[in-house]
Amino acid sequence: MAEVAAAAAGSTAGAAMRVQSISQSGQSRVPPQYVQPVQTRPGNRAPGFDNIPSVDLSEFNPASRDRVREEIGPACRDWGAFHVIGHGVPPALLERVRAVGRAFFEEFPMEEKVKYACDASSAATEGYGSRMLENDDVVLDWRDYFDHHSLPLSRRNPSRWPHHPPDYRQVVAEYSDQMALLASKLLGLISESLGLPTSCIEDSVGEFYQNITISFYPPCPQPDLTLGLQAHSDMGAVTLLIQDDVGGLQVLKDGEWVMVQPVTDAIVVILADQTEIITNGAYRSAEHRAITNGSRARLSVATFHDPAKSKRISPASGLASGSSPPRYRDVVYGDYVSSWYTKGPKGKRNLDGLLL
Ligand SMILES: O=C(O)CCC(=O)C(=O)O
Ligand SMILES: [Fe+2]
């Protein structure tokens, strides 16, 4: 342990232990804080499904809109997560954002990385971090990350983002804009697939508060005992995620963990909790987690689209009236976020707490 502590000593703010430092120290066992209790360990793969569903948005025009809606509806209802292909975001940009992320984690020395450390004493601050929750009694995730506050533009300050490689900031800014456009297009289709006006869900969410989190999961000496990221659903409206070819994202489907197999150039769409509330439970947020890998480092880039903290979220009137009353209590989004960070995700317990 002394070596691990020494290897992690490069961290300053909050003295957070960096998973990458532990991984590089070459220990054959993970420190005890990373060992999951038996019931949440990765276990065996579910035999039932090879992958989450896939929806092709190419040739997206008024004539194909019906087909796309018909595919998106069941994917949202039965899974809450699906791949989109033919999404119009240039594959070179997806590759570039993965490359700049990898460069930060793998080419920057630790003493440079920690200059960007996020404020470990409060939740979801921008920068380089290793712990999602402040609470000390939780099992730790085998993950380091960099969180960027990217939209609205008033929150975007690229001077707080890594300065290397030289195009890091420009790539992340361009990626942010492309993801917001795609999120808006998807929320429109998702609304239509429920018979709602195109803008219904986006109007309920309001202006997007977008964060981009690049997660880095270093090789783990005990992948059977650990999780890269504990089971959770995302808090906001919709998450767009890309991963590399290592794979490790899993989605819970009918009580079994299904591997999200990497699909070249695809983007994973993950419905988040506010969309479940707005659709009055017609569409469910996806419970998901990341497992670790014994030999290869894995990188993912998750782009979250959330309401403003002051926004009150409630089921859409078109889905919660007459014979189908509201199934969720209204919530001010900022209160939802505070409670999520205080209690921790434990699957979907925060959303379940709003059920009427
Ligand atoms: O790395 C992944 O695949 C999952 C990331 C994720 O779920 C998150 O950041 O909320
Ligand atoms: Fe997530």
Side-chain angles (χ1 to χ4, degrees):
M1 273 309 261
E3 287 152 66
V4 172
S11 65
T12 50
M17 176 100 85
R18 303 299 169 184
V19 175
Q20 191 174 13
S21 302
I22 305 173
S23 175
Q24 285 171 350
S25 74
Q27 307 278 306
S28 59
R29 288 165 179 268
V30 299
Q33 310 90 287
Y34 294 88
V35 176
Q36 293 287 333
V38 174
Q39 61 280 16
T40 53
R41 289 182 191 165
N44 293 330
R45 291 250 312 269
F49 295 95
D50 286 345
N51 211 339
I52 56 174
S54 182
V55 176
D56 187 356
L57 298 185
S58 62
E59 300 156 41
F60 182 71
N61 55 44
S64 69
R65 223 173 157 93
D66 284 348
R67 171 190 60 75
V68 173
R69 271 199 300 254
E70 279 162 23
E71 288 176 12
I72 275 192
C76 292
R77 196 181 49 239
D78 303 338
W79 289 81
F82 54 95
H83 277 118
V84 274
I85 55 172
H87 42 65
V89 183
L93 181 60
L94 307 183
E95 202 37 59
R96 201 63 208 134
V97 81
R98 281 186 287 251
V100 297
R102 220 166 236 288
F104 173 76
F105 287 101
E106 294 189 327
E107 292 171 17
F108 253 45
M110 187 54 81
E111 60 270 24
E112 282 299 312
K113 283 200 276 267
V114 297
K115 290 183 184 160
Y116 298 90
C118 59
D119 173 5
S121 65
S122 61
T125 53
E126 193 165 31
Y128 177 48
S130 300
R131 296 190 59 159
M132 182 166 69
L133 302 168
E134 299 147 56
N135 185 342
D136 273 334
D137 356 295
V138 290
V139 180
L140 296 181
D141 299 316
W142 190 260
R143 173 183 85 134
D144 296 326
Y145 60 85
F146 200 107
D147 193 19
H148 312 73
H149 293 179
S150 41
L151 284 175
L153 286 175
S154 55
R155 293 171 77 231
R156 188 189 290 178
N157 181 354
S159 70
R160 293 199 284 249
W161 303 347
H163 61 273
H164 169 87
D167 60 346
Y168 187 109
R169 296 167 175 178
Q170 190 224 317
V171 169
V172 172
E174 201 178 314
Y175 188 71
S176 156
D177 295 339
Q178 290 276 344
M179 290 301 107
L181 287 173
L182 181 58
S184 172
K185 185 164 158 181
L186 284 162
L187 289 183
L189 282 163
I190 291 170
S191 297
E192 288 178 18
S193 73
L194 283 167
L196 299 167
T198 310
S199 67
C200 179
I201 298 177
E202 205 175 333
D203 288 347
S204 300
V205 174
E207 185 177 26
F208 285 152
Y209 278 63
Q210 185 200 59
N211 292 329
I212 300 178
T213 302
I214 305 186
S215 294
F216 183 74
Y217 304 91
C220 180
Q222 294 184 293
D224 296 343
L225 303 186
T226 48
L227 286 176
L229 190 52
Q230 61 200 283
H232 66 285
S233 53
D234 295 338
M235 289 173 259
V238 66
T239 304
L240 301 178
L241 181 141
I242 58 172
Q243 55 177 339
D244 60 19
D245 64 342
V246 177
L249 175 62
Q250 297 183 325
V251 167
L252 193 65
K253 162 82 174 138
D254 304 333
E256 298 208 77
W257 289 103
V258 176
M259 202 72 195
V260 179
Q261 305 286 353
V263 172
T264 311
D265 300 339
I267 296 174
V268 182
V269 181
I270 301 176
L271 298 194
D273 294 344
Q274 307 315 303
T275 296
E276 179 168 328
I277 299 174
I278 294 166
T279 64
N280 203 24
Y283 291 165
R284 309 257 321 175
S285 61
E287 186 169 336
H288 56 284
R289 68 180 187 183
I291 60 169
T292 61
N293 189 289
S295 53
R296 294 180 68 194
R298 168 173 182 261
L299 184 117
S300 74
V301 184
T303 308
F304 305 97
H305 298 87
D306 301 348
K309 294 270 173 70
S310 58
K311 190 84 181 168
R312 181 174 283 279
I313 301 293
S314 57
S317 55
L319 296 171
S321 56
S323 59
S324 44
R327 295 177 55 204
Y328 301 82
R329 248 191 297 281
D330 292 11
V331 68
V332 175
Y333 183 63
D335 295 343
Y336 189 78
V337 171
S338 308
S339 146
W340 197 102
Y341 279 114
T342 310
K343 295 196 206 133
K346 277 247 167 69
K348 290 178 64 170
R349 76 157 136 188
N350 292 288
L351 187 59
D352 291 344
L354 293 179
L355 276 167
L356 290 167

